[in-house]
Amino acid sequence: FQLYRLGSDGDELRPVDSSTFANSATLNEQEEFIADVYEKITQQDINVELIHSESAPGQLEVVLGYENALQIADNIFYAKETISAVAKQHGMKALFLPKTSMMTAGNGLHFHYGFREVGSSSNAFGDESTLTGISRRGGAFMEGILQSLPALLSFTLPTNNSFRRVGPGCWTGSTVSWSTEDKESPLRVCLDLNSGGVSNVELKLSDATANPYLALAMVLAAGSEGMRNDLTLRPMNEGGSHDALPESLTASLDALKSNNSLLDTLGGSLSKAYIAVRESEAATEQSLEEEVRNALMKS
């Protein structure tokens, strides 16, 4: 998210600074806000692993700890509400829009997926005996997501603005592919810093305009289907040819309409309603400037 406040002229809300990734300026200048956010979120029994400055002007990232899917969706909701409220108390506005400027990095909501054996604390996603370091079930889970990825974007990137953040060089990926520790792949396999082994997989094609409950449910449904069908994970992206991802919400919704598995998971009534609402929103596109201005004007 990005922090805005009134400029020195008092007429226009602007990002609080123009710092870059890992720059200490935001951390120092917004120390009271950051400390307040941390305190208020953790008071709700939500684990905050890290708060750090990111690449866009006035941009911060809050990293929440691992939980089960329903709990993490709850935590995301409460954290966003808390960040917005604390920003207002400090005379600022927090924006979670995927893009606020085409010249700067966007705002994402990245999910990390992992699993373990029932009744065990051991990581079942990685397997050091395989060439990729990914277990058979971990690979099947990833392949299930990849096969449905064009349709899944209608849940994880559910606005026109969302797709302004997608493309080469945007740290999201633009093809149906995966890789290890590559921020240009939509599915990024992450390595444990201590052991060097595979720990989890990150889906980068998601942002805060998504309903976290729906987004998580649909991604987990796709991954679980891959595990049930024991799908074989495709080769890692090494610069070869891969299917391009949808470039718009409309194209992603078209992919969803032909994905019977996801439609069945969502159910007939909800599928029809969801597609109708998103198609209506896709047809009423605002300019980026208008969208940012409207977001800043909301109380």
Side-chain angles (χ1 to χ4, degrees):
F1 64 94
Q2 288 170 268
L3 293 172
Y4 284 68
R5 67 156 45 102
L6 283 174
S8 57
D9 55 12
D11 291 333
E12 183 180 359
L13 285 164
R14 300 187 180 93
V16 296
D17 58 52
S18 56
S19 67
T20 56
F21 177 75
N23 193 301
S24 61
T26 302
L27 298 178
N28 291 332
E29 293 172 9
Q30 306 307 326
E31 181 179 0
E32 290 185 9
F33 166 77
I34 292 169
D36 207 4
V37 163
Y38 179 84
E39 180 183 4
K40 295 294 192 300
I41 293 178
T42 55
Q43 283 177 349
Q44 300 170 72
D45 292 326
I46 298 173
N47 178 25
V48 177
E49 292 189 349
L50 182 69
I51 300 178
H52 66 94
S53 58
E54 266 289 354
S55 299
Q59 190 178 48
L60 292 168
E61 179 176 14
V62 176
V63 181
L64 303 182
Y66 273 102
E67 294 286 356
N68 65 64
L70 181 58
Q71 186 64 61
I72 199 65
D74 287 345
N75 290 353
I76 290 167
F77 177 82
Y78 292 130
K80 283 180 61 182
E81 290 293 305
T82 302
I83 290 165
S84 295
V86 174
K88 187 174 182 180
Q89 290 175 350
H90 286 260
M92 297 184 289
K93 177 80 175 182
L95 283 195
F96 296 87
L97 287 176
K99 272 288 191 180
T100 60
S101 167
M102 295 308 294
M103 302 304 293
T104 60
N107 299 300
L109 176 62
H110 298 174
F111 288 102
H112 289 252
Y113 297 87
F115 46 83
R116 53 181 180 263
E117 298 286 356
V118 175
S120 170
S121 61
S122 61
N123 175 21
F125 188 82
D127 184 349
E128 294 180 356
S129 69
T130 68
L131 203 58
T132 60
I134 306 167
S135 69
R136 176 75 188 182
R137 283 172 295 178
F141 179 81
M142 289 173 58
E143 184 61 28
I145 293 173
L146 289 168
Q147 290 192 9
S148 287
L149 191 54
L152 286 171
L153 298 190
S154 60
F155 299 99
T156 63
L157 301 178
T159 64
N160 288 320
N161 191 319
S162 297
F163 284 85
R164 294 188 176 111
R165 183 177 152 262
V166 179
C170 292
W171 303 332
T172 59
S174 56
T175 60
V176 182
S177 60
W178 71 275
S179 191
T180 299
E181 293 294 5
D182 182 358
K183 292 183 179 292
E184 283 297 316
S185 289
L187 274 187
R188 169 190 169 224
V189 173
C190 302
L191 303 180
D192 183 90
L193 291 176
N194 295 317
S195 69
V198 168
S199 59
N200 62 82
V201 64
E202 175 190 22
L203 177 61
K204 304 178 72 62
L205 290 165
S206 185
D207 65 50
T209 63
N211 178 321
Y213 300 94
L214 271 180
L216 280 167
M218 302 312 288
V219 172
L220 289 173
S224 297
E225 183 177 20
M227 294 172 73
R228 282 195 302 273
N229 295 327
D230 195 26
L231 298 181
T232 299
L233 179 62
R234 67 194 65 189
M236 182 169 62
N237 178 15
E238 294 179 344
S241 175
H242 299 274
D243 295 332
L245 287 167
E247 296 182 355
S248 67
L249 176 57
T250 298
S252 181
L253 288 167
D254 287 342
L256 175 60
K257 292 175 188 176
S258 61
N259 191 307
N260 292 328
S261 176
L262 292 184
L263 293 176
D264 289 344
T265 299
L266 198 58
S269 297
L270 185 53
S271 294
K272 185 177 180 180
Y274 186 83
I275 291 171
V277 169
R278 291 306 184 195
E279 285 185 329
S280 174
E281 292 174 345
T284 56
E285 183 171 6
Q286 296 178 303
S287 70
L288 180 57
E289 291 75 16
E290 288 176 317
E291 194 166 357
V292 173
R293 184 165 57 250
N294 290 339
L296 289 171
M297 289 174 62
K298 289 181 181 178
S299 60

